[in-house]
Amino acid sequence: MAEKEIIETSEAEIAVHWQEEGYYHVPLDFIAQANMTDESIYQRFSLENFPNCFKEYADMLDWYEYWTEILDTSDAPCFKWFKGGKINASYNCIDRHLAKNRNKTAIHFVPELEEEKVEHVTYQELWVRVNEMAALLQDFCGLKAGDRVTLHLPMVTELPVTMLACARLGVIHSQVFGGFSGKAAADRILDSGSDFLITMDGYYRGGQLLDHKEKADVACEAAAAAGHKVKKVLIWERYPGKYSAATPLVEGRDFIVNDLLKKYYGQRVEPVRMPAEAPLFLMYTSGTTGKPKGCQHSTGGYLAYVTGTSKYIQDIHPEDVYWCMADIGWITGHSYIVYGPLALCASSVIYEGIPNYPDPGRPWRIAQNLGVNIFHTAPTAIRALRKIGPDEPAKYNYHFKHMTTVGEPIEPEVWKWYYNVVGKGKAAIVDTWWQTENGGFLCSTLPAIKPMKPGSAGPGVPGIHPIIYDDEGKEVPKGAGKAGNICIQNPWPGMFQTIWGDRDRFVRQYFERYCKNPKSKDWRDWPYLTGDAAVQAPDGYYRILGRIDDVINVSGHRLGTKELESAALVVPEVAEAAVVPVADEIKGKVPDLYVALKPGYHPSPELEKRISQALATEIGPIAKPRKVWIVPDMPKTRSGKIMRRVLGSISNKTDVGDVMTLANPEVVEAITKMVQG
Ligand code: PRX
């Protein structure tokens, strides 16, 4: 994940050279069935109608007690939504669907091994499992509303079961991405003050059954060394009845959930009626430096926001089979695999493994076999699938009505492949821009109302009012051709409430810069700083250029690294591109361009020249890289993001730091040799 601690832009204005693409129109079949086709929604959610517009989202939920005040700003910028309301997230995602949809599939669990059977969990079955787990958490662990529990689970049904069992009790869950280390889990256990860790013995990744339990031992040791004893470790078995890890259980501390559960079979737990503003979960955002930040998300506001956006932006209907390929360990998975889709009674797919196991046709086979009609993934996965299996989608008979891209700017070339090849030219695409802190989407087109524009996220979604400020706090108007710091003018229900245990950091990092009056109780004085640079086209669409610290200043011209990378991807041989700034005596900074090629292509000086020329042609001679490095593979995080920081260190001959947590640390050495000789 991108490091978001450093927020500095020394120059007010960033010139943008990236050309605007033309519109693509959403297929009529999509529009005919869409949840939201009424353009007046933008009027309903305009700033004049703020904050009352968000009643529309709150009314998609079932409340025990209806709220009395829609937005309480008395503790600004810690805003409280739907004050006075009582609600339970587990009830809204499960119980309320039983009367009509008891036997409908809530979760399709797809194991990584193709020879293992797909599990179809009905809403009734989910209800049973969640109740039993809630009974266990309450009785065996003594957990109650407000307590925190750390989860370190892989992509299995047991993860949403555990989350929803916590939610049923008002216990605050904090899921740590399964691919993270035991040490990372320990940091989060400490920060949240969790007495319990819930994990799994093992899971499949690239065809291997990994020992995941060993990470729990590391986590408990590291937490103990820092003075915090984890009372119990609860371990789900990947194969119930058979412990699959090589690491032994620690007597008195470790317990097998599947054994414990037998005592609770048939037990039911009344959902706890939680205040709307009670925290539902923590989601830590990781950085390369500094303490992880626990983004604290609320129950009522968060659930209302993800439900509303799942309905209007994701276009989820109860009859849809929806597959978001993200990991539930990230915010995307919380909002748009678990809470949003289940609140709408959809069938949500959970896939255990990596997209290209055992071959790059796998995602499309899953889509075909389950009848997936809504697909949601990140540019990094799209680029990878485009690189290793460009012709695979055509071999399978699936039909997507809707596709999402999220997490990074998507290069127009990659967008077009997604649209034409994955979507077969028949799906609406939404490019959704948002962050862990936000709970749900900030910018995106409404798919049946606005046309698509490759590389642009679109306007603010209903009720989100972005504004671009320059460094002096002056608004950069749309169509100015200049980029600046994109902020959101108003709070919204999905926005995090604070950083767990660190209100000062919350205020400092997200609001201080453009706050008009730190004593103000008026939301208008508290624009939210996203930390991204963006440019707004004359049509109001926002193009996100990346983190403020991802901008390169070449001879006084600021170039978004993404613009350069996008230009490199126009060259047909190029699969992935990453640009890093290199210090230059004359020009200040110059870009170094790293590229990986599609299979079957080989590096050559001629190709290097062509790639370099492409940047000059697409953007201007100013964009020509110092050097094009054709590398065997990009250094990547476990979540698949390219580690530009590592490449930057190699180019600048500075210390690359600890690279052992990367998915492929071995490429770092190979690239260093290539670049530094
Ligand atoms: O820079 C933006 C980029 O990802 C950052 C947020 O990362 P994270 O908190 O990990 O959340 C990712 C999933 C919501 C943002 O500050 N980002 C996210 N979505 C997009 C994006 N950049 C461009 N286009 C997007 N659609």
Side-chain angles (χ1 to χ4, degrees), residues 9 11 50 60 63 96 157 175 239 242 245 267 344 409-410 424 433 441 462 518 555 592 602 612 637:
T9 317
E11 276 167 62
F50 179 86
M60 294 178 188
W63 297 81
R96 66 168 177 159
T157 309
Q175 154 71 6
Y239 295 101
K242 176 175 159 244
Q267 292 208 14
L344 292 173
I410 185 165
K424 305 179 180 184
W433 167 68
F441 306 142
S555 306
D592 248 8
H602 302 287
S612 181
T637 62

Side-chain angles (χ1 to χ4, degrees), residues 1 4 332 407-409 431-436 532 544 547:
M1 302 247 282
K4 288 183 264 179
T332 303
E408 302 160 72
D431 179 345
T432 58
W433 167 68
W434 59 298
Q435 315 169 302
T436 305
D532 277 323
I544 307 301
R547 304 297 309 177

Side-chain angles (χ1 to χ4, degrees), residues 14 103 160 195 297 319 324 371 378 475 589 620 665:
I14 303 162
N103 293 320
D195 288 335
H297 285 283
E319 56 273 25
C324 171
E475 182 177 353
K589 291 266 162 57

Side-chain angles (χ1 to χ4, degrees), residues 31-345:
I31 297 172
Q33 60 80 60
N35 278 327
M36 179 45 66
T37 52
D38 173 9
E39 255 179 84
S40 71
I41 183 168
Y42 286 107
Q43 182 50 38
R44 284 207 305 285
F45 281 80
S46 65
L47 269 181
E48 297 94 77
N49 293 328
F50 179 86
N52 294 335
C53 51
F54 284 112
K55 179 179 188 305
E56 187 164 330
Y57 288 178
D59 288 349
M60 294 178 188
L61 302 177
D62 286 3
W63 297 81
Y64 296 113
E65 278 172 42
Y66 204 65
W67 42 275
T68 47
E69 192 182 348
I70 193 155
L71 176 64
D72 171 9
T73 63
S74 61
D75 188 28
C78 296
F79 299 107
K80 292 189 181 68
W81 285 88
F82 309 125
K83 214 175 147 192
K86 291 272 174 66
I87 191 163
N88 185 282
S90 169
Y91 178 88
N92 272 279
C93 290
I94 312 171
D95 305 47
R96 66 168 177 159
H97 305 317
L98 297 180
K100 284 194 185 142
N101 285 301
R102 197 176 288 281
N103 293 320
K104 178 177 193 296
T105 299
I107 293 168
H108 294 284
F109 169 63
V110 183
E112 194 190 62
L113 299 185
E114 269 183 305
E115 59 268 31
E116 276 185 24
K117 252 189 101 47
V118 174
E119 190 184 59
H120 310 280
V121 183
T122 62
Y123 274 94
Q124 173 72 18
E125 175 69 9
L126 184 62
W127 181 74
V128 168
R129 289 201 206 175
V130 166
N131 269 284
E132 291 168 353
M133 185 61 180
L136 185 159
L137 294 176
Q138 197 171 41
D139 179 62
F140 185 72
C141 301
L143 284 163
K144 55 180 191 323
D147 293 342
R148 281 82 54 209
V149 174
T150 299
L151 281 46
H152 195 197
L153 287 164
M155 283 290 285
V156 290
T157 309
E158 288 77 1
L159 173 48
V161 166
T162 309
M163 287 163 66
L164 292 163
C166 289
R168 201 164 188 85
L169 301 171
V171 169
I172 303 168
H173 58 76
S174 168
Q175 154 71 6
V176 180
F177 171 54
F180 274 164
S181 64
K183 178 68 182 49
D187 292 342
R188 289 152 179 78
I189 288 169
L190 286 167
D191 190 74
S192 61
S194 301
D195 288 335
F196 300 91
L197 172 64
I198 306 179
T199 186
M200 186 166 249
D201 54 356
Y203 66 99
Y204 282 94
R205 194 102 195 131
Q208 301 294 319
L209 183 59
L210 304 182
D211 182 343
H212 187 59
K213 194 307 217 175
E214 65 182 11
K215 292 184 179 172
D217 293 351
V218 174
C220 290
E221 265 164 45
H228 180 87
K229 191 164 174 280
V230 174
K231 287 187 187 154
K232 283 175 182 151
V233 177
L234 304 188
I235 304 157
W236 287 98
E237 285 172 331
R238 172 65 178 73
Y239 295 101
K242 176 175 159 244
Y243 181 64
S244 299
T247 318
L249 299 184
V250 174
E251 183 74 34
R253 186 197 73 187
D254 295 355
F255 299 88
I256 300 293
V257 180
N258 306 74
D259 292 341
L260 297 175
L261 269 178
K262 291 178 185 155
K263 191 176 154 200
Y264 302 97
Y265 283 170
Q267 292 208 14
R268 303 292 174 250
V269 176
E270 254 319 282
V272 177
R273 300 173 178 216
M274 298 300 294
E277 67 269 24
L280 177 62
F281 66 87
L282 305 179
M283 171 62 66
Y284 282 85
T285 64
S286 56
T288 45
T289 58
K291 223 169 88 161
K293 296 173 286 191
C295 295
Q296 176 184 318
H297 285 283
S298 73
T299 307
Y302 170 83
L303 196 64
Y305 196 67
V306 299
T307 305
T309 50
S310 292
K311 184 160 182 176
Y312 293 163
I313 314 284
Q314 297 297 105
D315 198 54
I316 295 178
H317 299 58
E319 56 273 25
D320 289 327
V321 182
Y322 168 87
W323 183 16
C324 171
M325 236 172 38
D327 195 289
I328 298 174
W330 309 124
I331 191 73
T332 303
H334 272 50
S335 300
Y336 298 114
I337 297 177
V338 181
Y339 286 111
L342 296 183
L344 292 173
C345 198

Side-chain angles (χ1 to χ4, degrees), residues 476-516:
V476 179
K478 68 180 174 188
K482 306 268 187 225
N485 304 321
I486 184 165
C487 298
I488 311 299
Q489 298 178 62
N490 58 298
W492 64 97
M495 175 179 170
F496 67 144
Q497 301 176 296
T498 185
I499 293 175
W500 178 260
D502 202 346
R503 188 185 196 274
D504 286 351
R505 189 176 176 193
F506 172 73
V507 177
R508 214 170 47 243
Q509 190 168 344
Y510 300 98
F511 300 96
E512 198 172 58
R513 182 145 182 196
Y514 293 116
C515 177
K516 294 168 191 119

